[in-house]
Amino acid sequence: MDSQIKGVSTGTTILAVTFNGGVIIGSDSRASIGGSYVSSKTINKLIQVHDRIFCCIAGSLADAQAVTKAAKFQISFHSIQMESPPLVKAAASVLKELCYNNKEELQAGFITAGWDRKKGPQVYTVALGGMLLSQPFTIGGSGSTYIYGYADAKYKPDMSKEECLQFATNALALAMGRDNVSGGVAHLVVITEEGVEHMVIPGDKLPKFHDE
Amino acid sequence: MSSIGTGYDLSASTFSPDGRVFQVEYAMKAVENSSTAIGIRCKDGVVFGVEKLILSKLYEQGSNKRIFNVDRHVGMAVAGLLADARSLSEVAREEASNFRSNYGHNIPLKYLSERVAMYVHAYTLYSAVRPFGCSFILGSYDQDDGPQLYMVDPSGISFGYWGCAIGKAKQAAKTEIEKLQMKDMTCRELVKEVAKIIYIVHDEVKDKAFELELSWVGEVTNGKHELVPKDIRVEAEKYAKDSLEEEDDSEEDNM
């Protein structure tokens, strides 16, 4: 699927994981054309759509940027009208409406994660055709196929922030190690009630496994 | 009595020299001609009561409703021109439905009442249309935000309330409502008081028979707005009638 994307695609690894008190959203940083040329080694696939809500993008980079730009505007306007921070579910719904109503033209999938006062930390998947699903954690992108086993085995509900960071970093490193269209640095954002913390882990500082 | 706005009251697009829009005030008069509706917010929900005057013995009981469901968790009680009120309930339903479609969750009542009030206000700006001749009370219950009560009048203003009344006996009803400690009451207690207030403000002389329409939304209904079940309504009406008799009796003793 990714190889049929015209132009720049984010053959990618993205994930979002809830922990006790917050959520961690992470991605790699490689953008490729045709699966053999790396057009950027350091793009940021974690887009902030509101104070405590982030989105990570997979698929056609152009489509993803267009959709997140429209979604960011709608969510910001909605939040001002409601006079309160938007619910993560509302942000995910806005993205879902855009993806579903334009499904013929678009080829982009998203993971929305954030914190709101009503339900705390949440993760939502918005798939290609516009399906919206809430999950405790989720992985996406072409690199995710290589880490389903790891994620299913190692995820525990109610982890601490450090455990969750370790889980996310390991997952990204493993995926980037096997998927040719995922790589570069690992971007991680930790979202809690208190605020947002952005971390970048360069390729050489990522965890190494048995054959590295 | 209010003044007559001779010459300045022909359209909603004209101000009078003392800064009034008479068409909007006349619309509010239409509400005052209608029978009373009240809404009260308590600790764990909202209760609506409407005095439905029976104009003909041929009417089917329970028809001609004055309380509408706008969304699962929102109810609307109306007074004034009923056709106007029904069309506004459709507007409110669409707003709530579009919100849910776009944002995936229940519409907050403050936002809904502001949106419908904005719509009502739009009809007070032009000479080509007339203002809506109805006021309505919106109530909802949500697990996180709790019970909410808002009232919108023909001028397009919306305010939040703990208790409010619209229609011909609204002054008398407001006096009775003010006597209640609604913040400490539960829906079950409040239902009886709402029935009592409607019975108190009903004018036996001018208007003959009436049917009491009661609805509620709160923890007791799991957040769903619905008509009060028949047995609870019957119990509430009995309480109302008994309280009225007691008051009559005590008046006689004093004499």
Side-chain angles (χ1 to χ4, degrees):
Chain A
M1 180 241 15
D2 282 316
S3 55
Q4 260 108 48
I5 291 174
K6 229 179 132 182
V8 183
S9 99
T10 54
T12 188
T13 309
I14 49 177
L15 51 76
V17 194
T18 54
F19 64 91
N20 193 355
V23 60
I24 292 183
I25 189 166
S27 76
D28 71 311
S29 69
R30 180 173 292 179
S32 52
I33 301 185
S36 62
Y37 172 68
V38 176
S39 59
S40 171
K41 292 183 264 189
T42 52
I43 70 159
N44 188 0
K45 302 176 193 176
L46 302 178
I47 318 270
Q48 182 162 26
V49 290
H50 208 268
D51 293 353
R52 296 281 184 280
I53 307 179
F54 274 72
C55 234
C56 42
I57 57 186
S60 151
L61 199 45
D63 287 352
Q65 284 185 347
V67 170
T68 47
K69 193 170 174 192
K72 202 170 168 181
F73 163 74
Q74 281 186 31
I75 293 162
S76 161
F77 189 67
H78 171 66
S79 165
I80 290 173
Q81 276 190 315
M82 306 293 295
E83 293 173 348
S84 74
L87 298 182
V88 186
K89 186 169 191 184
S93 287
V94 166
L95 274 165
K96 175 262 290 175
E97 282 292 293
L98 287 163
C99 289
Y100 182 74
N101 291 332
N102 297 298
K103 61 157 75 184
E104 310 300 330
E105 283 93 18
L106 293 174
Q107 230 177 0
F110 303 88
I111 295 177
T112 310
W115 183 94
D116 64 47
R117 217 164 36 93
K118 194 164 173 176
K119 273 172 135 181
Q122 297 146 73
V123 166
Y124 292 89
T125 307
V126 179
L128 228 47
M131 172 194 79
L132 174 63
L133 198 56
S134 169
Q135 295 167 299
F137 79 98
T138 190
I139 55 181
S142 58
S144 67
T145 54
Y146 305 102
I147 50 170
Y148 272 103
Y150 176 78
D152 287 341
K154 288 294 184 179
Y155 171 75
K156 299 180 304 199
D158 274 332
M159 288 186 273
S160 70
K161 179 176 149 189
E162 289 66 34
E163 285 178 307
C164 192
L165 265 172
Q166 193 61 58
F167 171 76
T169 318
N170 283 349
L172 281 172
L174 285 164
M176 283 152 72
R178 286 292 182 180
D179 185 28
N180 67 319
V181 284
S182 297
V185 307
H187 286 287
L188 290 162
V189 173
V190 183
I191 308 169
T192 58
E193 180 178 0
E194 285 76 49
V196 160
E197 199 189 329
H198 194 144
M199 298 174 206
V200 178
I201 307 177
D204 55 349
K205 300 276 192 309
L206 282 172
K208 292 193 188 322
F209 299 95
H210 65 98
D211 57 355
E212 292 170 286
Chain B
M1 276 298 300
S2 51
S3 58
I4 309 171
T6 328
Y8 300 107
D9 60 349
L10 295 175
S11 86
S13 65
T14 310
F15 276 105
S16 75
D18 51 347
R20 295 153 75 173
V21 181
F22 279 102
Q23 279 297 309
V24 173
E25 297 193 17
Y26 296 161
M28 301 207 223
K29 279 270 176 306
V31 178
E32 277 164 38
N33 288 339
S34 142
S35 63
T36 320
I38 65 174
I40 307 184
R41 170 184 164 190
C42 64
K43 202 165 52 174
D44 63 352
V46 169
V47 180
F48 291 116
V50 177
E51 173 203 12
K52 257 189 348 193
L53 297 179
I54 298 178
L55 298 168
S56 157
K57 286 205 190 92
L58 297 172
Y59 273 164
E60 184 189 351
Q61 201 197 32
S63 71
N64 211 35
K65 297 166 74 54
R66 301 240 324 247
I67 302 182
F68 305 101
N69 246 320
V70 165
D71 197 344
R72 187 185 180 271
H73 65 303
V74 178
M76 174 170 161
V78 308
L81 298 177
L82 288 188
D84 289 10
R86 288 201 187 113
S87 116
L88 281 174
S89 75
E90 275 306 305
V91 167
R93 283 167 182 160
E94 265 188 64
E95 279 291 335
S97 167
N98 283 338
F99 185 94
R100 186 190 295 282
S101 196
N102 287 329
Y103 303 110
H105 65 95
N106 286 349
I107 188 168
L109 194 67
K110 178 166 191 279
Y111 184 69
L112 173 64
S113 71
E114 278 170 9
R115 295 285 297 180
V116 187
M118 218 193 305
Y119 187 91
V120 169
H121 170 249
Y123 281 72
T124 67
L125 297 169
Y126 310 106
S127 57
V129 294
R130 65 161 175 81
F132 284 94
C134 63
S135 289
F136 51 94
I137 311 174
L138 291 163
S140 82
Y141 178 79
D142 173 68
Q143 253 196 332
D144 300 295
D145 303 324
Q148 302 281 324
L149 187 67
Y150 281 84
M151 198 257 285
V152 179
D153 71 9
S155 66
I157 292 186
S158 102
F159 281 119
Y161 290 90
W162 277 93
C164 66
I166 49 181
K168 57 171 61 145
K170 71 172 190 216
Q171 275 306 114
K174 276 200 188 117
T175 317
E176 292 301 317
I177 293 174
E178 278 167 18
K179 292 180 191 163
L180 295 176
Q181 297 289 338
M182 67 276 287
K183 295 185 194 181
D184 304 319
M185 293 169 85
T186 64
C187 273
R188 284 191 195 277
E189 296 160 357
L190 191 56
V191 150
K192 298 198 285 202
E193 297 302 327
V194 166
K196 182 176 162 196
I197 293 176
I198 295 284
Y199 269 82
I200 291 176
V201 305
H202 172 67
D203 189 337
E204 282 292 326
V205 178
K206 288 209 197 114
D207 310 310
K208 312 280 167 40
F210 78 101
E211 194 187 322
L212 172 64
E213 201 174 329
L214 276 176
S215 79
W216 57 1
V217 59
E219 233 182 283
V220 64
T221 65
N222 248 322
K224 179 169 182 275
H225 174 255
E226 51 190 30
L227 289 180
V228 169
K230 186 163 174 200
D231 51 340
I232 301 185
R233 180 168 52 83
V234 161
E235 190 194 327
E237 291 197 71
K238 183 169 179 307
Y239 170 83
K241 285 182 196 152
D242 290 345
S243 308
L244 281 181
E245 275 175 26
E246 266 176 37
E247 281 182 25
D248 286 345
D249 286 341
S250 65
E251 277 172 21
E252 283 170 19
D253 285 339
N254 286 336
M255 279 178 60

